[in-house]
Amino acid sequence: MIRNFIKTAFRTLLKNKGFTAINVLGLALGLATCLLIVFYVVDELSYDRYNTKADRIYRVNMDMKYGGNVASFAITPPPLAATLANNFPEVERTARLIHDTGVRIKKGNEYIQEEKVVYADSELFNVFTLPMIEGDPRTALSEPNTAVITETTAKRYFNNTQAVGKTLTVMGNINYKITGVIKDIPNQSHFKFDFFLSLAARADAKSNEWNNFSYTTYILFKPGADPKKLEAKLPGILKKNMGTNYDRLEKSGNYFHLNITPLTDIHLLSNRQYELGANSSITYVYIFSAIALFVLLIACINFMNMSTARSANRAREVGVRKVLGSSRSSLIAQFLSESILVTIAAAIIAVLAAWALLPLFNQISGKELSITLQTVLWLSPSLLVIILVVGVAAGSYPAFYLSAFQPISVLKGKVSTGFKGGNLRNFLVVFQFAISIFLIIGTLVIYNQLNYIQKKDLGFNRNQVMVIKNVDVVDDAKTFKQEVKQLAGVENASLSGFLPTGVVRAPDAVFRNKTSDPKNALFTEVWPIDEDYINTMGMGIAKGRNFSKQFSTDSLAVIVNQTAARMLGIANNPIDQKVYRPSGNPNEPLKEFHVIGVVKDFNFSSLRDNITPVVMLLADDKGALSIKVNAKNIKPLIAQVEHKWNALSPNQHFEYSFMDEDFNHAYRTEQRTGTLFLSFTTLAVIIACLGLFSLAAYAAEQRNKEIGIRKVLGASISSIVTMLSKDFIKLVAISFIIAAPLAWLTMQQWLQGFAYRQSFQWWILVLAGAGAVIIALITISAQSFKAAMANPADSLKSE
């Protein structure tokens, strides 16, 4: 019986090649899109789960309110890890990491800037699952000046993985003995480092300073321990160890609070300062999961609409089968067989398409997804379930609908046919286009916000600013700066590692008077800059003046941004106001500075956050050289700068970037999201249009004789096209009315994630609505014109 069902279904599908092709193509597009999104979502949800003890690993965080600022950090005091390990029985082990922004390591005859360098505790390999190819994980980082590297790094520096016992030379002629080589850290990790240097030689690793927040601290709980109970004890740890400082904080309305985050939540649910890597957001997982479901629903709706629209073509078949003794259950089984066969064919095409499109998808999404044996193991049963669910879901209504026909009625031709004959079909078209319009509006809002980010006046000019980082390796950085300034095509240059688009930050307290009371404090960024910094960055002075070599007193002067001036209470009359900073020695009084200028507010953090206070000092900092250029041909200028670099530091590798590229990098997640949104929206619209195209064809076919009679009676082609199109356009209009407010509410919520955002523009709704109508018209116009142009004699000759 089953064999007969399959054979009959196969013959029926081949008989209607156009119908079958559109159904298979629509379902295949929907399933391929769904598969790609599933790969993305599974990858996002799998972060840090490669650790065998992932369910017991937590990171300690710090929330702070101090000096008018509220902030959250992923770092803690240096002694916290030892305190937790030694005093709390529920803690099995602790591990610490501290990330340096850049370390130069000797490779061959030159020093290479390496960004993926971290200092780590010897306990690291007892907490995290980092399989070691060579070396002993129990002792690998226990000695000073030892290092563990990844296998790719070992091949890069030593051409093989047999690197244990060899030496890495860090800038300053500090030698690190390699004591271990680990497998490359999986892509699904919230930290991805190539070099793990021992903490044993660092002075701050043994610090008992509880006011210093600099280390990322992890806890491995004992099996069965309750992390929430330990979290409740964390305030007491700070209170006990900070002593009177903690009491003063609480009395002044400020606080330092410690809390913990599960390891597997970090990637999607943590967005703190001083994260060890760029995290994603659970919001995007929800968004893309919803898109996958929507696209699959659209594809299923296509199948249902197409099948029910063809009811007239199958009605006589059903009538004859029933007269010949077929039961309703056998007819249902027959129609479901057809549906499942179409789904199987679509699934095969979808898997091949997803496999072929995976490299392009990786490029757009920034992922490194691949179909491995592990993927096949979970994909195969999942795909089987999807085939059954989609096949039955998409084919159920047509099967029950067609099998319910009464043989007497259908053989007399009394079955309701055509477009107007199916209220459910109309509902499904509305649902389908409502989803498409929702996605179109979402895409337009995302691109509008990204365009706003690109064009917003940030308070500094990031265009044509070349940045050379870690200039401290140059023998004479100031000489290098002066020689670069003299090059043709260079407008200005400044030495400072504190850049608006950089990651180097130095939060500290500035006081309104000589008393170091938290009530008088402003927690602010403190940036050492030179006298050329503000002009090089294209920043504007709102009040006062810039730093100048002509004023020797500028060594005790500061420039503040407008936010800092406002929070210090000196916005109206800031010039020559006094502010105070710690001198560096806790036994000495606060150091006095006078304000000489106020710089206009500029965005140095993400546009998701409000501008925070900045205080600038005239001081040496060789973290980077920023070069403002005006040359039309930039390549010769870069070569000249490199020549100057090599002359002053012959063994140092020359690396540079441009500030606008660094800025764009900060918003790469949003850019990728916008591109993915556009791609999936386009696919959803194409799938919806495939269904609409087929419905228009069948609607015209069912009204074939009516069109012939109208033409004989003198109806024009335009009136017939209008008659065939208006029913569809009405449904698209209803879809817009439903989708527009839902999209407005959803995207308004998304925009709330940006402190600086473009308001929801009215033209977005107009463009989405008009676009949907135009797309629908183009889709159905071909069928409408074909029906209107047909010779009426052909449709009426049998009457």
Side-chain angles (χ1 to χ4, degrees):
M1 182 66 74
I2 294 174
R3 183 181 176 186
N4 183 55
F5 284 151
I6 295 172
K7 187 186 293 185
T8 306
F10 191 71
R11 286 174 179 171
T12 304
L13 293 173
L14 285 181
K15 183 181 176 182
N16 299 278
K17 293 184 179 67
F19 161 81
T20 304
I22 290 176
N23 257 340
V24 169
L25 180 59
L27 269 177
L29 277 175
L31 283 170
T33 303
C34 191
L35 279 175
L36 288 173
I37 295 176
V38 166
F39 290 155
Y40 174 89
V41 170
V42 168
D43 184 77
E44 287 288 284
L45 294 175
S46 65
Y47 264 69
D48 293 304
R49 296 183 189 276
Y50 67 89
N51 290 286
T52 56
K53 305 168 187 173
D55 59 323
R56 295 193 282 130
I57 302 173
Y58 285 70
R59 187 188 67 193
V60 188
N61 313 304
M62 193 266 289
D63 293 330
M64 178 204 73
K65 180 183 178 184
Y66 185 78
N69 277 348
V70 176
S72 57
F73 299 93
I75 49 177
T76 60
L80 176 65
T83 301
L84 291 171
N86 296 331
N87 298 285
F88 294 89
E90 58 263 59
V91 175
E92 183 175 317
R93 297 180 187 274
T94 59
R96 296 178 299 171
L97 297 174
I98 182 166
H99 176 43
D100 272 1
T101 54
V103 175
R104 284 189 172 263
I105 299 176
K106 193 172 185 179
K107 183 184 179 187
N109 294 322
E110 65 177 2
Y111 284 89
I112 306 291
Q113 176 80 11
E114 296 285 359
E115 299 295 337
K116 296 182 178 181
V117 181
V118 69
Y119 290 88
D121 269 331
S122 58
E123 289 284 357
L124 179 74
F125 304 106
N126 294 320
V127 174
F128 294 96
T129 304
L130 300 170
M132 197 164 279
I133 299 170
E134 266 203 318
D136 185 351
R138 295 171 297 179
T139 59
L141 293 175
S142 57
E143 297 294 325
N145 295 85
T146 54
V148 172
I149 59 177
T150 61
E151 59 179 321
T152 297
T153 306
K155 291 174 184 176
R156 186 155 56 94
Y157 274 79
F158 306 107
N159 298 321
N160 57 60
T161 58
Q162 284 76 49
V164 170
K166 296 180 180 178
T167 301
L168 285 173
T169 302
V170 176
M171 189 68 190
N173 288 324
I174 304 172
N175 292 325
Y176 280 82
K177 181 183 177 183
I178 297 174
T179 53
V181 177
I182 59 171
K183 289 184 178 180
D184 290 340
I185 296 175
N187 291 321
Q188 297 80 17
S189 175
H190 77 282
F191 63 74
K192 302 176 186 70
F193 295 108
D194 294 333
F195 301 84
F196 295 87
L197 307 183
S198 173
L199 271 175
R202 286 183 66 112
D204 61 352
K206 301 178 179 67
S207 169
N208 288 317
E209 179 57 60
W210 284 85
N211 291 315
N212 170 23
F213 293 86
S214 53
Y215 278 79
T216 305
T217 302
Y218 297 93
I219 301 171
L220 174 64
F221 284 95
K222 289 180 179 177
D226 185 354
K228 290 295 180 185
K229 289 183 178 178
L230 175 70
E231 188 173 35
K233 301 173 186 176
L234 292 177
I237 297 173
L238 277 185
K239 185 176 180 66
K240 177 182 177 181
N241 289 281
M242 291 181 69
T244 56
N245 287 337
Y246 192 87
D247 295 333
R248 288 170 63 196
L249 273 174
E250 285 194 326
K251 288 176 182 177
S252 62
N254 298 299
Y255 58 77
F256 287 164
H257 289 165
L258 296 177
N259 55 68
I260 57 176
T261 297
L263 177 68
T264 52
D265 284 355
I266 291 174
H267 178 66
L268 292 175
L269 296 174
S270 180
N271 185 28
R272 295 171 172 271
Q273 296 184 48
Y274 299 99
E275 295 278 357
L276 292 178
N279 292 334
S280 184
S281 170
I282 192 68
T283 302
Y284 294 124
V285 171
Y286 293 148
I287 288 172
F288 288 123
S289 298
I291 290 174
L293 181 62
F294 287 161
V295 170
L296 197 57
L297 278 174
I298 289 173
C300 291
I301 288 168
N302 269 359
F303 186 91
M304 295 172 71
N305 275 343
M306 293 274 291
S307 299
T308 53
R310 290 179 67 249
S311 58
N313 299 29
R314 305 293 299 273
R316 292 185 187 278
E317 176 194 340
V318 171
V320 170
R321 281 175 176 272
K322 283 197 169 185
V323 167
L324 294 175
S326 290
S327 64
R328 188 182 182 190
S329 60
S330 65
L331 288 172
I332 290 171
Q334 178 64 56
F335 290 126
L336 286 178
S337 299
E338 291 177 20
S339 173
I340 291 171
L341 271 180
V342 168
T343 309
I344 291 170
I348 293 169
I349 295 171
V351 169
L352 294 174
W355 175 74
L357 291 171
L358 202 54
L360 177 62
F361 183 77
N362 283 337
Q363 185 179 347
I364 294 172
S365 64
K367 292 285 186 183
E368 294 182 21
L369 305 175
S370 60
I371 298 177
T372 61
L373 178 61
Q374 187 178 2
T375 309
V376 173
L377 290 176
W378 67 259
L379 180 60
S380 299
S382 302
L383 204 57
L384 185 61
V385 172
I386 288 172
I387 288 170
L388 290 173
V389 171
V390 171
V392 173
S396 58
Y397 176 71
F400 285 99
Y401 174 72
L402 293 172
S403 64
F405 288 166
Q406 295 300 317
I408 296 175
S409 299
V410 296
L411 293 175
K412 287 183 177 181
K414 293 183 180 179
V415 176
S416 175
T417 63
F419 187 74
K420 291 184 177 180
N423 289 328
L424 178 60
R425 190 159 63 250
N426 294 350
F427 167 77
L428 293 176
V429 170
V430 168
F431 183 73
Q432 197 176 42
F433 265 85
I435 293 172
S436 300
I437 292 168
F438 181 96
L439 294 176
I440 290 170
I441 292 171
T443 302
L444 291 173
V445 171
I446 290 172
Y447 270 91
N448 191 41
Q449 176 65 12
L450 289 176
N451 186 57
Y452 172 76
I453 289 171
Q454 292 294 328
K455 294 182 178 179
K456 185 184 183 300
D457 180 9
L458 300 173
F460 67 96
N461 188 352
R462 65 184 182 272
N463 297 318
Q464 290 197 300
V465 178
M466 179 180 174
V467 179
I468 305 169
K469 294 179 180 176
N470 294 98
V471 189
D472 55 333
V473 301
V474 179
D475 291 339
D476 191 343
K478 289 186 177 180
T479 300
F480 178 53
K481 171 191 167 182
Q482 293 305 321
E483 290 186 5
V484 167
K485 283 181 71 174
Q486 293 169 12
L487 295 174
V490 174
E491 285 186 9
N492 214 330
S494 169
L495 277 171
S496 178
F498 293 80
L499 306 176
T501 57
V503 296
V504 179
R505 297 288 179 257
D508 202 354
V510 170
F511 295 89
R512 297 173 178 86
N513 55 44
K514 294 181 180 180
T515 308
S516 58
D517 190 318
K519 290 182 179 179
N520 301 320
L522 172 68
F523 195 71
T524 176
E525 291 286 332
V526 180
W527 292 6
I529 65 170
D530 63 13
E531 65 279 357
D532 293 315
Y533 183 89
I534 289 175
N535 291 332
T536 301
M537 298 299 163
M539 296 174 180
I541 296 289
K543 292 180 181 180
R545 63 174 177 85
N546 191 6
F547 291 120
S548 173
K549 291 180 179 178
Q550 298 175 357
F551 297 92
S552 59
T553 55
D554 278 4
S555 61
L556 291 174
V558 295
I559 295 173
V560 300
N561 70 347
Q562 290 171 311
T563 299
R566 187 170 58 253
M567 295 181 74
L568 285 167
I570 59 173
N572 295 328
N573 186 26
I575 308 305
D576 290 329
Q577 295 284 349
K578 302 293 188 292
V579 294
Y580 301 85
R581 289 192 65 231
S583 62
N585 187 337
N587 298 319
E588 293 181 1
L590 297 176
K591 195 172 182 179
E592 182 181 285
F593 292 82
H594 62 282
V595 178
I596 62 167
V598 177
V599 67
K600 291 181 180 178
D601 275 343
F602 59 94
N603 288 93
F604 61 90
S605 185
S606 168
L607 289 177
R608 302 179 196 92
D609 306 320
N610 288 309
I611 294 174
T612 54
V614 180
V615 174
M616 298 175 175
L617 308 171
L618 185 62
D620 289 340
D621 184 85
K622 300 173 184 176
L625 177 68
S626 302
I627 308 166
K628 181 67 175 178
V629 302
N630 60 7
K632 291 182 180 178
N633 192 353
I634 198 72
K635 288 185 178 180
L637 178 60
I638 293 172
Q640 290 177 322
V641 174
E642 185 175 6
H643 178 74
K644 297 287 185 186
W645 172 278
N646 291 333
L648 290 169
S649 52
N651 295 322
Q652 300 295 336
H653 185 65
F654 177 74
E655 293 182 22
Y656 68 91
S657 64
F658 282 90
M659 191 170 282
D660 56 347
E661 295 172 355
D662 295 338
F663 174 82
N664 292 338
H665 181 78
Y667 296 95
R668 190 166 291 174
T669 299
E670 280 73 23
Q671 291 165 354
R672 286 170 175 164
T673 301
T675 306
L676 287 172
F677 222 97
L678 177 63
S679 303
F680 295 142
T681 299
T682 303
L683 286 170
V685 171
I686 289 171
I687 296 167
C689 288
L690 279 173
L692 196 60
F693 179 84
S694 300
L695 283 178
Y698 280 105
E701 181 183 333
Q702 299 307 320
R703 302 178 74 174
N704 202 18
K705 290 182 174 59
E706 177 190 345
I707 292 167
I709 294 169
R710 285 178 180 273
K711 289 195 73 174
V712 168
L713 295 176
S716 64
I717 291 174
S718 60
S719 66
I720 292 173
V721 169
T722 302
M723 176 193 72
L724 291 173
S725 304
K726 66 180 182 181
D727 291 326
F728 292 103
I729 300 305
K730 283 179 185 176
L731 297 182
V732 173
I734 294 169
S735 301
F736 175 77
I737 292 169
I738 294 169
L742 292 175
W744 183 85
L745 288 170
T746 304
M747 297 317 295
Q748 280 283 53
Q749 187 67 31
W750 180 78
L751 287 170
Q752 294 304 312
F754 294 86
Y756 301 92
R757 55 186 175 270
Q758 184 73 286
S759 58
F760 199 107
Q761 304 290 314
W762 62 268
W763 59 263
I764 290 176
L765 295 177
V766 173
L767 186 61
V773 171
I774 291 168
I775 290 169
L777 276 174
I778 292 171
T779 303
I780 62 180
S781 60
Q783 294 297 340
S784 299
F785 273 106
K786 181 181 176 182
M789 295 291 288
N791 188 344
D794 293 334
S795 59
L796 299 175
K797 63 185 178 183
S798 62
E799 297 297 321

